[in-house]
Amino acid sequence: MSDCIFCNIIAGELPCHEVYRDEQLLCFMDIAPAGRGHCLIVPLDHHADIFGLPQEQLLAVQRFAARLAPLLKHYCAADGIGVHQLNGAAAGQTVFHYHLHLIPAYQGQSLQLHGRDAGAADELAATAAALRGLLLEEGC
């Protein structure tokens, strides 16, 4: 869909700090992170939300999230990882292409799902590169 920012990223028409891509999904750094290491996982096919997403694509996103979450937690020295997914404007969804957020969390820090400011490009690039390296070490 030409008006979908994530479809444009998937098509290479907009840049991103890519962490991982395969035949079903793309993972990249959130451009306005809620915190260091905030990643998004999106299916390559456009589906507005979970209600129209085929089960195989949902499972692919979830399987990859399960692989990346412990690596992200370790890399960011986080106390936990928030795994968040919103469906519909009333639930806080702002980009209407199904996506899953992985957000490192720290004891005593308030939870945010959306950042307000653009992340530093060099930090996003470095984090994406580090996570790609960790995935390669894990055989992903």
Side-chain angles (χ1 to χ4, degrees), residues 3-60:
D3 62 340
C4 173
I5 191 169
F6 289 170
C7 286
N8 289 324
I9 290 170
I10 290 164
E13 296 165 1
L14 290 175
C16 74
H17 298 283
E18 185 173 310
V19 173
Y20 178 84
R21 180 190 284 255
D22 65 20
E23 66 282 347
Q24 292 185 298
L25 61 88
L26 172 65
C27 175
F28 55 94
M29 305 307 299
D30 192 306
I31 193 98
R36 181 173 172 258
H38 183 171
C39 296
L40 300 174
I41 305 170
V42 302
L44 298 182
D45 295 338
H46 181 88
H47 298 281
D49 52 37
I50 199 168
F51 305 113
L53 185 68
Q55 186 175 16
E56 70 181 44
Q57 290 180 27
L58 176 63
L59 292 174

Side-chain angles (χ1 to χ4, degrees), residues 18 20 22 24 29 42 49-50 62 64 69 71 74-75 79 82 84 86 90 100 105-106 112 116-117 121 126 138 140:
E18 185 173 310
Y20 178 84
D22 65 20
Q24 292 185 298
M29 305 307 299
V42 302
D49 52 37
I50 199 168
Q62 293 294 329
F64 181 71
L71 301 175
H74 173 76
Y75 176 76
D79 297 317
H84 307 281
L86 309 169
L100 184 78
Y106 303 89
Q112 285 186 297
R116 304 251 186 266
D117 301 315
E138 295 291 317
C140 296

